Each structure stands twice: as structure tokens, then as C-alpha cells.
Amino acid sequence: MEMHQLRYVVAVARARNFSRAAEQCHVSQPSLSQQIQKLEGELGERLFDRMKREARLTSCGETFLRRAVKILEEADAAKRDATDARSLLRGTLVIGVLPTIAPYLLPGALAAFTEKFPGVETMVQEDTTARLLKLALDCEIDFALASRPIHDSRLEVRDLFSEELLLALPPGHPLARKRAVNARDLEGERLIVMKEGHCLGDQVLGFCDRHNLHHHISFRSAQMETIQCLVEAGLGISLIPEMAAHRDRKNGPLYRSLDQRKPSRQIVAVWPKHRPPGRAACEFLKTVRRPASNS
């Protein structure tokens, strides 16, 4: 049973004539008749009573017609949906993103994308790197916004931009009075970092290890805003992504760039190699830009 056979049956039922139906379907009358006969042979039942000037549905044909019309309507709807999705008139985009990226990067990107493609529904899922990579491999998200390093040969990793990790200091901290701060100045300081499982915490501690810095972790948190409030309260120092820095706050933490080899993180988009991003995902990634500094 083929789709064109269903269309021929519907055309004959509506025209009540094989010749007129063939004209409407832009095929020859013998070809149309042959295809309907072939379908009747497959079904083992006649669909039409053929008279000299008219074709009438049999009882079997009437039952078949109802189902054929529904199938053709669904096929046409599927084609329209596919066309709309291709032109981004409608569709769904599911983005996975780290919580240390989402509140600072997504608002601008989502606003620009939604303005251009208002028919596409966008959903965001925040989670740790390990969880986001699993969701990507399970095809539960279209792509993830994360940061390097990512070691999984099954994943495609595309660099988006790099950003500096700034030293966040409590107001009045001695290091805030220095003209230049370097990594050695952090020796023995109390650190406030993201909790285990969050890659930013690993990046901060990795920076300390590379510079042989002895440190004491005074607090861990899953929220970037909590870390900055704890720094502001004088409970320790931290390294904060530049996009998250509250430079415009009067009483917030003080931010300093470290001299020499500045710590940084590389923001990336990640998806399974076997499932490249669709057009909606590609268009969204075009809107992703490094957030402007608040300085």
C-alpha cells in the first residue's frame, strides 16, 4: 500500500468518476485504474462499484476511505511541520547549561533568538558538567554550554569564547591595595569555591595546584551569587568568571586581574558526534557572544 494509491482512492470517491479523478491527480486514467486495482488485490476487496459513467464506493470502500483520509491529512500535517521547522516557524530547542554560565550568558542570547524566531519554544536545563554530557549523549538536549576540559571522544566540542577568572576580594582586603596582584600573593588565603562536581571549583583549585599554592577552603557553594556574598562578608576570597562580576555594585566584592598568567576558562558548545545540531541550535549559537564587562 502506497501513499499515491490512497490519494487516487480519495480522488475517485470525491469525483465519483475515474477519468475526472485522473485529471485531478495529473495521471492517465489507465494508470490510476491500475493502481486502484492493485490496491484492491492487496486488500482482497473491491473498493468501488464501477458503472459506465460513475464509480461508487462499496461498503468496504467507505470504511477504507475514512481511514485513508486521516492518513493523508496526517502525512500533509507532518510535511507542513517539517517545512515549518526547517524555516524555524515553529519547533523546540532544548539547551543544557552550567549554572555558572546560565544567568549571565543566556538572557541576551535568548532575547535575540526569540525575537528572530518567536515560534521556536526554547527550554533550558541547568546542571553540572557530568550530568549535561550524559544528557547530550542520551539526546535529551540539543547541545550543552559548558567549559573545558571535556574528555570524551564521543562528543564534538566547539570553542565559543574565553573569559578571565577575576580575583574577588572583600572590601578592605590587603591585596586590594596592591597595584599588581600575582598568584603567589594568594598563598595561605581562605578560598570560597563551587562545591564538588562543579567544574569551576576544579578550575580554581587546579590553578592553585599549578602554582603550588597552599590554600584553605573555607566554604563551598553551588551558587555563584552565594560565593560572592560570602566574599563580600570577608569570609574568604575566590576566582570569579568575568561575566559574573558585579563591578557596578557599590558594596560588592572588589575585583582584580592577576598579573602574568591570568586564570581563565574556555566556554564551549558540546553535542554528540553522531547527532550534529539542527538549524535551530545552529541559529541559537550564532547569538552567543561573550557578555560585556560591567566595568
Side-chain angles (χ1 to χ4, degrees):
M1 187 181 303
E2 299 180 20
M3 295 295 292
H4 67 275
Q5 293 173 327
L6 301 184
R7 294 189 189 279
Y8 294 167
V9 169
V10 172
V12 172
R14 290 173 175 170
R16 299 172 70 92
N17 182 278
F18 276 75
S19 296
R20 288 196 297 272
E23 291 177 4
Q24 294 170 6
C25 294
H26 305 290
V27 296
S28 67
Q29 190 270 329
S31 177
L32 181 141
S33 297
Q34 184 182 27
Q35 288 298 317
I36 292 181
Q37 288 173 359
K38 182 179 178 181
L39 178 59
E40 289 175 324
E42 181 181 343
L43 296 173
E45 294 283 350
R46 286 185 302 107
L47 298 176
F48 295 97
D49 287 324
R50 293 159 174 83
M51 290 167 279
K52 188 173 182 179
R53 296 180 179 275
E54 187 178 11
R56 292 181 180 177
L57 286 165
T58 63
S59 58
C60 177
E62 290 176 352
T63 301
F64 183 86
L65 178 66
R66 289 193 292 270
R67 184 71 67 178
V69 169
K70 289 182 179 178
I71 292 172
L72 293 173
E73 288 175 345
E74 285 297 318
D76 289 343
K79 184 177 180 180
R80 288 195 303 272
D81 287 348
T83 300
D84 287 349
R86 186 172 65 249
S87 58
L88 294 188
L89 295 178
R90 71 176 85 177
T92 301
L93 177 64
V94 185
I95 304 169
V97 61
L98 295 177
T100 58
I101 296 176
Y104 316 108
L105 184 64
L106 286 188
L110 284 173
F113 179 78
T114 302
E115 181 178 5
K116 190 173 182 181
F117 305 107
V120 178
E121 179 185 6
T122 307
M123 295 184 287
V124 176
Q125 186 158 340
E126 293 185 50
D127 219 316
T128 62
T129 300
R131 178 61 181 159
L132 291 180
L133 299 187
K134 184 178 186 304
L135 291 174
L137 288 169
D138 290 342
C139 297
E140 294 186 32
I141 57 177
D142 289 288
F143 64 89
L145 294 174
S147 64
R148 289 187 182 273
I150 293 174
H151 305 295
D152 193 320
S153 60
R154 297 170 296 176
L155 295 168
E156 188 75 30
V157 182
R158 177 183 296 176
D159 290 333
L160 298 177
F161 61 87
S162 178
E163 69 166 341
E164 183 181 355
L165 299 182
L166 298 172
L167 177 63
L169 299 166
H173 192 283
L175 291 179
R177 296 193 294 269
K178 294 192 64 170
R179 177 172 298 180
V181 181
N182 57 55
R184 298 308 311 170
D185 293 326
L186 308 186
E187 176 69 30
E189 290 284 345
R190 293 181 299 166
L191 287 180
I192 304 172
V193 298
M194 297 290 291
K195 67 184 297 186
E196 294 179 0
H198 289 265
C199 61
L200 181 59
D202 296 335
Q203 290 162 352
V204 171
L205 296 179
F207 173 80
C208 293
D209 291 340
R210 288 193 299 275
H211 291 82
N212 298 313
L213 298 176
H214 297 91
H215 56 267
H216 169 68
I217 299 176
S218 56
F219 293 96
R220 284 185 180 269
S221 175
Q223 302 296 326
M224 182 63 62
E225 297 307 302
T226 301
I227 289 176
Q228 301 207 67
C229 288
L230 293 174
V231 170
E232 181 184 345
L235 299 173
I237 66 172
S238 190
L239 291 175
I240 300 295
E242 187 174 9
M243 67 171 71
H246 300 309
R247 298 187 198 246
D248 55 345
R249 289 188 183 176
K250 292 183 178 180
N251 299 318
L254 303 176
Y255 302 98
R256 298 289 184 270
S257 289
L258 293 176
D259 277 0
Q260 302 169 344
R261 296 194 313 183
K262 299 178 180 179
S264 64
R265 68 172 180 174
Q266 183 70 41
I267 306 302
V268 297
V270 186
W271 58 82
K273 288 182 177 178
H274 70 272
R275 186 174 180 258
R279 188 182 167 206
C282 292
E283 290 293 339
F284 180 86
L285 289 173
K286 291 179 183 178
T287 70
V288 175
R289 298 288 184 272
R290 179 178 175 175
S293 172
N294 294 322
S295 57

